[in-house]
Amino acid sequence: MNRIEERFKALAEKGTPAFIPYITAGDPTLDVTERIVLELEKAGADIIEFGVPFSDPVADGVVNQEAAQRALKHGVSLRDIIKRVKKLRESSEIPIVLFTYFNPVLAYGVEAFAEDAKDAGVDGVLCVDLPPEEAAEYKRHLDARGIAAIFLLAPTSTPDRIEMIARNATGFVYYVSRTGVTGERDSIEATVKGMVAEIKKHTDKPVAVGFGISTPAQAAEVAGFAEGVVVGSAIVRLIGELGESPETAPKVGAFVKSLVTAVKETA
Amino acid sequence: MSEYGVLSSRQSTPYPDDRGRYGDFGGKFVPETLMPALQELETAYVEAKEDPDFQNLLRKHQTDYVGRPTPLYFAQRLTASLGGAKVYFKREDLAHTGAHKINNALGQGLLAKRMGKRRIIAETGAGQHGVATATAAALLGLDCDIYMGTEDIERQKLNVFRMRLLGARVIPVNSGSRILKDAINEALRDWVTNVRDTHYLLGTVHGPHPFPLICRDFQRIIGEEARKQILEHEGRLPDLLVACVGGGSNSIGLFFEFLGEDAVKMVGVEAGGIGLGPGQHAARFAGGSLGMLHGAMSYVLQDKNGQILTTHSVSAGLDYPSVGPEHAYLMRTGRVEYTHASDSEALAAFRQTSELEGIIPALESAHAVAYACKVVPNMPKDRIVIVNMSGRGDKDVQQAAKYLLPEEDFS
């Protein structure tokens, strides 16, 4: 069992959902990213999503696009990020998921990527533009190394696709709460609860919900019916505002603490 | 063998296969939100293709509205000046709106309407696809938003005004390098948000399956007409076809009909820009490698970490870091040869075609003419070359004047 499955199992026993913060790796620098991760762990985050910066992030809103641009400006690569995960493993056992576009993985070499990710202690990978139909070889290499292959489900997914994707996913299923790109929104769509219930008809795997959740109140709302709550852009925006200041990691930690509290108190 | 095409030379015929693969290239690499929409599009397209009413309506519009067939014109003075093979132009510049782009925009517009979509969106580089899409939207009574990089808005002001005049909204894209690739990123973000009531009218033979197939099918008419016309003019098939390749729709449109004719040689001309260093050109087959951008596996200009490189071309329509997957396949199998023409070669051809034939070519098409000007003098006089005059150059005169008459101010 890898760290993601262990974490969901432990949380299920306690009856609390997972809180999963997303940060862009390398924004503002990988050193700051490392410090932020340790603060997020202290704040009670269960799993960290590392966004891998890409030049053409079509599934991302402006906040994550700009964060990726900042990271790319000083040349942060997938290789650097994997190395940094390895270093983090000297001080932390928090489950880590890489949230990436497919082209950097393809350029790395799918098998070499899976091998190095395993060696570094990466626990899961979510390729946002790689649906299961195109993912057989990728999944084979991840499966062989016990790395979770996490796939997206969306409001437009048909029952056939929900069944197929849930069957292919390992670790957890990631439900995209809205048609659209990543980013903060005023409210959670009314359809989310029903779709999560629909997904649960097809799978026993944990369901995490992301895209558009940004406040403690929204996180608490989703925590009422999902096993995982992902918050990204609100945290990424804060990191962007604080930059390389020594206050960045603790301030981000404090914000995430408020989200964790909201999620855990709901349960 | 790797599923992600680590340079095997596997061939699959017929193509694309049911996964939208052209050998190792193509496919459907998109976020889950769009996967059901691609399936819906494919189903609707297959039905429309088999529906005589749809085909009749399309043909009627092609004739009465677009003005097809476009002529195949013998470029007598250019031929005489080059002193070799006979050069014909397939006059897509005479199609309504001034380029081949209308063939696809009209076809997909009719398809969108049939699917009950009330809104269409599109990306544009040179503005020709944007104008064609805005035109189809006006004709069919659909809402229309066009994404265009601010760099391209600057160099194609005339087309921006045309799109607005046609009732479309032109949305400036300021992200990335502010050109075609970035406009596609924004169009995809729009589509992922509004997928239920919006059709993304993709303008070239790129993107996730079934877009490369649909666009090719709507452009095939170029080659089908050219075959008939050259047989009427010359009583035989041509020896060489030449077309420029950005995403690759005008070239596939001309080539496809002739792919089975082994005696017909084909050359696709990419944008050689100002040199073959990173960021200086858009010659994907000269400087690119296997990659996945905008939904399809193909050749991509990228760095060693898989980040997409910036591109440069004097021609906005060729200024794109990837190329249609069918072209990647035709390159790999050796059926089509790909080369590139530089900015200055294209500008020279732009001037030469204007002076000798009274035809101002689009800067995109001028790349194809530039290649023809290089090889035709060395071909025997009884050989026949068809160059796809994919668009007219009125949109480019201000841009070209900056290079050709730098001391004068036309702004």
Side-chain angles (χ1 to χ4, degrees):
Chain A
M1 205 187 308
N2 81 9
R3 293 183 194 90
I4 295 172
E5 288 162 352
E6 279 169 15
R7 181 62 58 114
F8 273 112
K9 188 160 173 278
L11 289 168
E13 282 163 10
K14 280 197 282 184
T16 55
F19 180 72
I20 308 173
Y22 166 103
I23 57 174
T24 301
D27 174 37
T29 65
L30 280 170
D31 286 342
V32 176
T33 297
E34 187 178 339
R35 287 202 288 278
I36 292 172
V37 170
L38 298 175
E39 288 288 341
L40 297 181
E41 188 175 18
K42 264 202 295 191
D46 294 293
I47 298 172
I48 307 284
E49 272 188 14
F50 263 15
V52 177
F54 181 52
S55 52
D56 295 83
V58 297
D60 280 300
V62 174
V63 168
N64 287 356
Q65 287 173 41
E66 288 178 349
Q69 281 304 316
R70 289 193 295 268
L72 288 175
K73 217 175 266 171
H74 46 263
V76 172
S77 67
L78 179 54
R79 202 167 289 278
D80 299 334
I81 292 165
I82 290 172
K83 279 187 195 148
R84 187 60 66 141
V85 172
K86 188 163 184 167
K87 180 156 179 282
L88 258 167
R89 282 290 171 242
E90 293 165 11
S91 48
S92 172
E93 286 296 310
I94 193 163
I96 292 177
V97 171
L98 299 183
F99 183 105
T100 185
Y101 289 82
F102 186 50
N103 202 52
V105 175
L106 186 65
Y108 201 112
V110 175
E111 185 168 11
F113 163 74
E115 190 59 37
D116 291 354
K118 172 68 188 173
D119 175 61
V122 168
D123 303 292
V125 184
L126 196 172
C127 248
V128 65
D129 50 2
L130 189 69
E133 284 92 333
E134 302 286 1
E137 181 186 334
Y138 157 92
K139 189 172 150 50
R140 195 164 59 244
H141 290 307
L142 295 184
D143 285 353
R145 292 163 181 83
I147 300 174
I150 299 151
F151 290 103
L152 298 175
L153 279 168
T156 51
S157 300
T158 54
D160 285 2
R161 293 192 60 80
I162 293 173
E163 193 281 320
M164 183 273 288
I165 292 166
R167 181 160 35 80
N168 274 284
T170 43
F172 60 94
V173 173
Y174 188 124
Y175 179 64
V176 173
S177 76
R178 59 198 321 121
T179 60
V181 294
T182 58
E184 299 159 77
R185 301 293 192 286
D186 293 337
S187 63
I188 301 298
E189 285 197 4
T191 54
V192 177
K193 191 174 179 180
M195 271 301 278
V196 171
E198 176 66 26
I199 294 166
K200 286 181 173 302
K201 285 186 202 159
H202 297 273
T203 184
D204 296 331
K205 291 166 191 165
V207 180
V209 177
F211 280 46
I213 305 167
S214 52
T215 65
Q218 291 170 346
E221 183 183 339
V222 174
F225 53 81
E227 281 100 345
V229 180
V230 185
V231 173
S233 298
I235 300 169
V236 173
R237 184 170 51 74
L238 184 60
I239 294 170
E241 285 164 9
L242 296 166
E244 289 193 58
S245 144
E247 291 296 292
T248 300
K251 280 190 172 162
V252 172
F255 175 56
V256 166
K257 178 110 191 150
S258 70
L259 292 161
V260 170
T261 305
V263 166
K264 304 289 176 178
E265 280 177 0
T266 305
Chain B
M1 184 186 305
S2 171
E3 183 184 3
Y4 304 117
V6 184
L7 304 181
S8 68
S9 58
R10 174 175 43 152
Q11 295 191 21
S12 69
T13 47
Y15 64 84
D17 65 16
D18 55 8
R19 296 168 61 212
R21 290 291 187 125
Y22 302 77
D24 293 329
F25 307 104
K28 279 185 192 180
F29 294 82
V30 294
E32 170 60 18
T33 309
L34 295 179
M35 287 297 281
L38 294 175
Q39 185 56 55
E40 178 194 4
L41 177 61
E42 188 174 352
T43 304
Y45 176 64
V46 169
E47 283 171 12
K49 201 174 172 181
E50 301 301 320
D51 179 355
D53 289 343
F54 180 84
Q55 293 301 328
N56 286 336
L57 185 62
L58 177 63
R59 257 193 300 274
K60 188 172 159 49
H61 282 309
Q62 284 168 340
T63 312
D64 300 349
Y65 190 74
V66 178
R68 303 207 72 91
T70 59
L72 184 71
Y73 163 75
F74 174 47
Q76 194 174 356
R77 294 192 69 221
L78 181 67
T79 298
S81 150
L82 296 174
K86 295 175 83 168
V87 179
Y88 284 85
F89 291 157
K90 178 60 175 163
R91 298 291 308 274
E92 291 301 297
D93 60 319
L94 293 178
H96 180 46
T97 72
H100 73 291
K101 291 291 183 189
I102 190 71
N103 301 330
N104 172 57
L106 178 65
Q108 281 197 47
L110 289 168
L111 190 59
K113 188 138 184 166
R114 183 184 163 98
M115 290 167 72
K117 306 285 181 185
R118 58 157 191 85
R119 173 175 179 257
I120 53 181
I121 57 170
E123 82 293 345
T124 198
Q128 289 303 101
H129 175 57
V131 167
T133 301
T135 299
L139 174 72
L140 301 169
L142 298 166
D143 289 346
C144 181
D145 287 328
I146 306 290
Y147 288 91
M148 189 168 187
T150 48
E151 168 88 17
D152 289 336
I153 287 178
E154 181 54 37
R155 52 182 171 174
Q156 302 287 350
K157 280 182 189 155
L158 180 65
N159 273 344
V160 174
F161 178 66
R162 287 169 79 196
M163 287 183 266
R164 290 188 175 139
L165 192 61
L166 290 159
R169 199 157 63 110
V170 178
I171 303 173
V173 176
N174 242 320
S175 57
S177 41
R178 305 187 301 274
I179 59 170
L180 179 57
K181 135 183 118 70
D182 312 286
I184 295 176
N185 289 344
E186 279 307 312
L188 281 166
R189 290 178 187 124
D190 181 316
W191 200 33
V192 90
T193 307
N194 302 298
V195 60
R196 289 189 174 99
D197 68 0
T198 296
H199 174 67
Y200 179 15
L201 208 160
L202 211 155
T204 188
V205 289
H206 202 285
H209 178 69
F211 282 110
L213 171 69
I214 292 175
C215 182
R216 178 242 278 170
D217 281 356
F218 287 132
Q219 296 292 1
R220 284 170 65 168
I221 193 165
I222 301 171
E224 289 165 2
E225 289 175 5
R227 173 194 278 264
K228 269 187 224 147
Q229 291 164 323
I230 199 70
L231 289 174
E232 282 161 21
H233 282 279
E234 296 281 349
R236 70 174 185 89
L237 293 178
D239 301 289
L240 174 65
L241 305 177
V242 184
C244 64
V245 184
S249 69
N250 90 79
S251 45
I252 281 288
L254 177 64
F255 296 166
F256 192 77
E257 175 70 13
F258 297 93
L259 286 175
E261 304 287 352
D262 292 342
V264 181
K265 191 183 164 190
M266 302 174 195
V267 176
V269 186
E270 300 183 282
I274 52 173
L276 289 184
Q280 297 185 325
H281 66 95
R284 291 67 45 102
F285 292 124
S289 54
L290 184 85
M292 195 290 286
L293 179 66
H294 296 148
M297 194 76 84
S298 186
Y299 276 74
V300 176
L301 294 170
Q302 57 187 325
D303 70 13
K304 65 179 194 318
N305 296 316
Q307 305 296 340
I308 308 306
L309 291 173
T310 55
T311 50
H312 164 81
S313 171
V314 67
S315 141
L318 304 183
D319 204 351
Y320 181 62
S322 187
V323 60
E326 188 166 358
H327 285 288
Y329 174 75
L330 293 170
M331 194 282 281
R332 184 73 65 77
T333 61
R335 179 63 188 92
V336 177
E337 184 187 325
Y338 293 86
T339 182
H340 44 85
S342 68
D343 283 359
S344 53
E345 288 168 333
L347 285 159
F350 179 84
R351 172 174 251 169
Q352 196 173 4
T353 312
S354 302
E355 286 175 1
L356 287 176
E357 295 294 344
I359 294 170
I360 301 173
L363 280 173
E364 290 76 19
S365 323
H367 284 71
V369 178
Y371 174 79
C373 291
K374 261 193 249 181
V375 298
V376 163
N378 301 319
M379 293 172 72
K381 286 183 193 292
D382 63 349
R383 296 297 158 89
I384 302 164
V385 178
I386 298 178
V387 176
N388 202 8
M389 187 56 63
S390 54
R392 69 181 186 218
D394 307 50
K395 68 183 175 63
D396 292 317
V397 292
Q398 199 174 7
Q399 167 84 351
K402 271 195 234 164
Y403 291 87
L404 298 175
L405 301 167
E407 66 285 358
E408 292 181 44
D409 183 11
F410 291 94
S411 58

